[in-house]
Amino acid sequence: MKKILILLAITICISCHKTEKDKKQESSKLAIKAYKLSSTTLAAGKLIRIDSFPSKFITPRPVDVWLPENYSSEKKYAVLYMHDGQNLFDATTTWNKQEWMIDEAATKLMKDGIVKDFIVVAIHNIPQIRWQDLFPEQAMDFVSKEAKENLYAEAKKNNFSTNLKGDDYLEFLVSEVKPYVDKTYAVYANKENTFVMGSSMGGLMSIYAVAEYPNVFAGGACISTHWVGGSPSENNPLPEAIFAYLEENLPDSKSHKMYFDYGNKTLDQLYPQYASKVDSIFLKNGYTKYNYKNLFFEGTNHSEKSWQKRVDIPLTFLLKK
């Protein structure tokens, strides 16, 4: 009888624990309040906003979900995760009055039957900590001790935080945002239908996401990738550190695709010097013209206006039927 009572007590404790866990999960779900953004100007589809996506990893921030016109829960959609989400859809609300025109490009590509049906999950940046969130954190392991000390000393002198959050940002994306999207929308949750895309520091974070989570993302598009890694400086150790990280952590060419591009005006003028290095890393590791591109756009600068003119190319590359 004593053993039975002990077992009963244990069962009750486990049951209570599960109940508390369920309550916490329900509470967490309730905390995610989404609503249709009626004030935004879209060419097509609709934008669902979560004003402050809760996170135990990074500073909460808005997350938008763009659903194409005629979105239906009766079918399944691929998912494209994008960084700097506030710059993608509506130029009237952006800091520089420019946008990527993602809704225009995606709608046309889907209507023309060129790409799979897909939704876009747009993660907003927080300008003050954007670099800390989007720098590929583990690349710092490939910076020499002396060079790292010099970098941190310079940052301290300029009151610039070196509290890197790239790994936490990815944890937020993969273990908090993605599960919510998979449960809330009619999407494929598998790797083959999950992609990531961004520009500048967002380009670095996109290749980092695929490298760190190759079982989550089938590919990424990195637009005007900021290979410089930070502010341009003499004897900058960050580009070589980023390349060294990539050489050791490149996603398998048999199951991934990667797109890069760059121009040669404004900030983009810093990038052409790295093109051959990027090509070398990918091509010697089994990537071919079928799953790898590194395109040069003569005369283009580092801006949403430049990116909107060619965004159909990476979208097609990643999501082609």
Side-chain angles (χ1 to χ4, degrees), residues 13-139:
C13 286
I14 292 172
S15 176
C16 289
H17 176 69
K18 284 183 178 177
T19 302
E20 287 303 314
K21 185 178 179 183
D22 289 342
K23 284 180 181 177
K24 285 180 181 177
Q25 288 177 339
E26 286 172 11
S27 175
S28 176
K29 287 177 184 175
L30 289 173
I32 301 177
K33 296 180 180 179
Y35 61 94
K36 181 182 176 183
L37 198 62
S38 57
S39 61
T40 194
T41 303
L42 293 175
K46 62 182 177 181
L47 208 58
I48 309 297
R49 171 156 297 174
I50 298 154
D51 278 325
S52 183
F53 200 106
S55 176
K56 61 183 180 181
F57 299 105
I58 61 171
T59 305
R61 77 258 339 262
V63 172
D64 294 336
V65 178
W66 178 77
L67 303 177
E69 58 185 7
N70 301 320
Y71 167 83
S72 170
S73 59
E74 301 300 311
K75 57 196 289 190
K76 292 269 193 175
Y77 297 78
V79 185
L80 176 64
Y81 290 89
M82 293 191 69
H83 315 295
D84 301 319
Q86 64 263 55
N87 299 330
L88 304 180
F89 303 104
D90 184 2
T92 67
T93 62
T94 63
W95 69 274
N96 61 358
K97 303 307 176 188
Q98 297 182 28
E99 59 164 302
W100 283 63
M101 298 181 70
I102 289 293
D103 47 322
E104 286 90 342
T107 299
K108 185 176 189 310
L109 289 170
M110 281 187 264
K111 274 187 176 178
D112 291 347
I114 294 171
V115 299
K116 307 174 184 180
D117 289 331
F118 69 98
I119 73 170
V120 177
V121 179
I123 301 166
H124 287 220
N125 70 55
I126 298 175
Q128 296 83 353
I129 55 172
R130 180 174 178 269
W131 183 84
Q132 291 84 349
D133 282 343
L134 298 182
F135 183 82
E137 187 172 342
Q138 292 177 48

Side-chain angles (χ1 to χ4, degrees), residues 12 14 38 52 85 98 122 129 145 168 170 188 216 235 265:
I12 291 171
I14 292 172
S38 57
S52 183
Q98 297 182 28
I129 55 172
K145 183 181 178 182
D168 285 341
L170 283 183
Y188 293 105
V216 174
N235 301 318
K265 299 297 180 183

Side-chain angles (χ1 to χ4, degrees), residues 187-218:
V187 299
Y188 293 105
N190 62 347
K191 178 191 82 174
E192 289 73 20
N193 287 285
T194 306
F195 304 91
V196 59
M197 180 172 171
S199 63
S200 196
M201 290 300 297
L204 284 182
M205 180 48 67
S206 295
I207 177 57
Y208 191 54
V210 184
E212 286 297 301
Y213 291 92
N215 295 325
V216 174
F217 301 103

Side-chain angles (χ1 to χ4, degrees), residues 101-257:
M101 298 181 70
I102 289 293
D103 47 322
E104 286 90 342
T107 299
K108 185 176 189 310
L109 289 170
M110 281 187 264
K111 274 187 176 178
D112 291 347
I114 294 171
V115 299
K116 307 174 184 180
D117 289 331
F118 69 98
I119 73 170
V120 177
V121 179
I123 301 166
H124 287 220
N125 70 55
I126 298 175
Q128 296 83 353
I129 55 172
R130 180 174 178 269
W131 183 84
Q132 291 84 349
D133 282 343
L134 298 182
F135 183 82
E137 187 172 342
Q138 292 177 48
M140 276 296 182
D141 295 340
F142 295 85
V143 178
S144 71
K145 183 181 178 182
E146 182 183 359
K148 196 180 296 184
E149 287 175 352
N150 290 337
L151 282 172
Y152 289 167
E154 187 66 22
K156 186 176 181 180
K157 187 171 71 175
N158 290 290
N159 294 315
F160 186 80
S161 171
T162 54
N163 180 25
L164 299 179
K165 302 289 286 184
D167 288 345
D168 285 341
Y169 179 90
L170 283 183
E171 193 69 44
F172 163 71
L173 175 56
V174 169
S175 67
E176 292 179 331
V177 178
K178 186 178 186 298
Y180 169 79
V181 170
D182 291 346
K183 289 177 183 177
T184 307
Y185 298 99
V187 299
Y188 293 105
N190 62 347
K191 178 191 82 174
E192 289 73 20
N193 287 285
T194 306
F195 304 91
V196 59
M197 180 172 171
S199 63
S200 196
M201 290 300 297
L204 284 182
M205 180 48 67
S206 295
I207 177 57
Y208 191 54
V210 184
E212 286 297 301
Y213 291 92
N215 295 325
V216 174
F217 301 103
C222 311
I223 316 302
S224 291
T225 311
H226 193 57
W227 297 116
V228 179
S231 297
S233 61
E234 193 175 348
N235 301 318
N236 178 8
L238 295 181
E240 286 309 313
I242 293 167
F243 295 138
Y245 164 82
L246 278 180
E247 294 197 86
E248 286 200 11
N249 297 277
L250 209 64
D252 189 349
S253 62
K254 295 185 180 68
S255 52
H256 295 87
K257 55 176 74 172

